[in-house]
Amino acid sequence: MKQEKKKIFQEYAAARGLKSTRQRDIILDSFLSTDRHLSIEELYLQLREKHPGIGYATVYRTLKLFAESGIAREIHFGDGQTRYEHQAEGEHHDHLVCTRCGAIVEFENEAIEKLQDEIAAGYGFLIKNHKLELYGLCAKCRK
Amino acid sequence: MKQEKKKIFQEYAAARGLKSTRQRDIILDSFLSTDRHLSIEELYLQLREKHPGIGYATVYRTLKLFAESGIAREIHFGDGQTRYEHQAEGEHHDHLVCTRCGAIVEFENEAIEKLQDEIAAGYGFLIKNHKLELYGLCAKCRK
DNA sequence: GGGTATATTGAAAGTCACTTTCAACTAGCG
DNA sequence: CGCTAGTTGAAAGTGACTTTCAATATACCC
Ligand SMILES: [Mn+2]
Ligand SMILES: [Mn+2]
Ligand SMILES: [Zn+2]
Ligand SMILES: [Zn+2]
C-alpha cells in the first residue's frame, strides 16, 4: 500500500522529468507514515524536528506534486488550512469532522453516492467531483 | 418573504442594540433583491454603482450581521471567496455548482439527509451541520 | 570521475481575501 | 438640542499560501 504509492509517485516523477531529491524522499515517507489529515504547516513542523533544513515552500510544493501524481488529495475543512490525505486510484470516501477535538472519521456510502448521481442527472449536470462533510461532536466530545 | 427577512433582521438589530443606518438599509435591500450567491466583493462592486460612498468593510461587516441574525448563510465553493445566500429558519438545501460558468442550483433531498444522520449515529457523532456540494458541468456547459 | 544542462531548494518577498484599527461621523434617547 | 454609544470608510494588519531568485543538487554525456 505504502510501497505502492511510493512507486506511483516515482513513476509520475520520472515521466515528468522530475528529479529524485533527499527532501522529496523525506516528505514522502513522512506523509505516507501518518493517517492523520495534516495541513501543510503541521507536516512542516513535524518534519522540522528531525530535518531542520527543510523549508516550508518545499513541503508546500511537494504536497502539491503528491496530489498531481494521484497519491494525495487536497481537503478543506473550513478552518482556513489546506490539508492532504492519502488517495488511492478508484477509491473515494467522505468525512465526519469533530468541531471540538478535530477528530476525523472517513466513511463510504454507496446509497448517498447514487442519490447524488440521480440529483445531478435530474438537473442535467455532469458531476466531476463532490464534497460531503458532516460536522459535529464525536462520541467522546459529546459526553 | 423578503419583508419577513427584513423584519427578522430589524428585530435582531434592536435586540442587540444595533443602530439603523442608511448603509445597512441599502445593503439589506440589495442582498435581499438578488438570488445569486454573491461574494462580499461582488455585492460591494454592485452596490458601489448606485452608492459610491459605501466601503468594503461595511459590506463585509453587514453581511456577517445578516448571517448572525439568521437571514443569511455563509458559503464556500472553494474559489477562495466567501459568499452569502438567503437563509430561512428551518429550511436547508445543498448545491450543484457548475465549474465552468459558475451556475448554481439549489436542491433538497430528504433521503440523503436521512442517510447522513444514520452514518453519524453509527459513529456516535452528534451532527451540527454539514456541507454537500456537487461540482461539474451544467446542462449548457456540457454541450 | 569531471563538465553541463536542468531541476530543486530555502529564504524572502509578494499576493489575496479578509479582518481590525481608529478618528471622524451618526443614531437614538432624554 | 446635547450626549453617549454605535457606525463608517480608509488604511493598516493578518494569515496562509504562492512566487521569485540566487545558490545547490541531479542526471546525463563524455
Ligand atoms: Mn462521496
Ligand atoms: Mn444538506
Ligand atoms: Zn471530538
Ligand atoms: Zn455551466
Side-chain angles (χ1 to χ4, degrees), chain B residues 13-27:
Chain B
R16 284 245 330 227
L18 304 181
K19 289 175 178 170
S20 164
T21 70
R22 189 177 59 84
Q23 287 89 335
R24 283 184 185 152
D25 287 347
I26 292 169
I27 297 170

Side-chain angles (χ1 to χ4, degrees), chain B residues 2 5 25-38 43 46-47 63 66-67 71-73 83-87:
Chain B
K2 194 169 150 181
K5 286 201 172 65
D25 287 347
I26 292 169
I27 297 170
L28 181 54
D29 280 338
S30 191
F31 172 68
L32 292 179
S33 69
T34 180
D35 275 318
R36 295 193 47 216
H37 296 66
L38 298 176
L43 185 54
Q46 185 179 303
L47 275 168
L63 285 173
F66 291 170
I71 66 168
R73 176 162 68 131
R83 292 165 189 286
Y84 287 89
E85 66 174 356
H86 299 179
Q87 165 82 327

Side-chain angles (χ1 to χ4, degrees), chain A residues 80-138:
Chain A
Q81 284 191 264
T82 300
R83 293 166 188 287
Y84 287 89
E85 66 174 356
H86 299 178
Q87 166 82 324
E89 173 86 40
E91 284 178 33
H92 167 77
H93 64 258
D94 295 298
H95 300 93
L96 274 160
V97 182
C98 177
T99 50
R100 191 190 298 277
C101 74
I104 291 166
V105 174
E106 302 182 338
F107 69 86
E108 295 175 62
N109 187 290
E110 259 317 307
I112 287 183
E113 305 283 328
K114 195 168 178 217
L115 284 167
Q116 289 176 8
D117 289 342
E118 291 173 14
I119 290 164
Y123 289 103
F125 266 68
L126 177 65
I127 298 306
K128 291 287 175 54
N129 57 70
H130 66 263
K131 171 179 277 207
L132 172 57
E133 285 147 19
L134 311 181
Y135 298 93
L137 298 177
C138 71

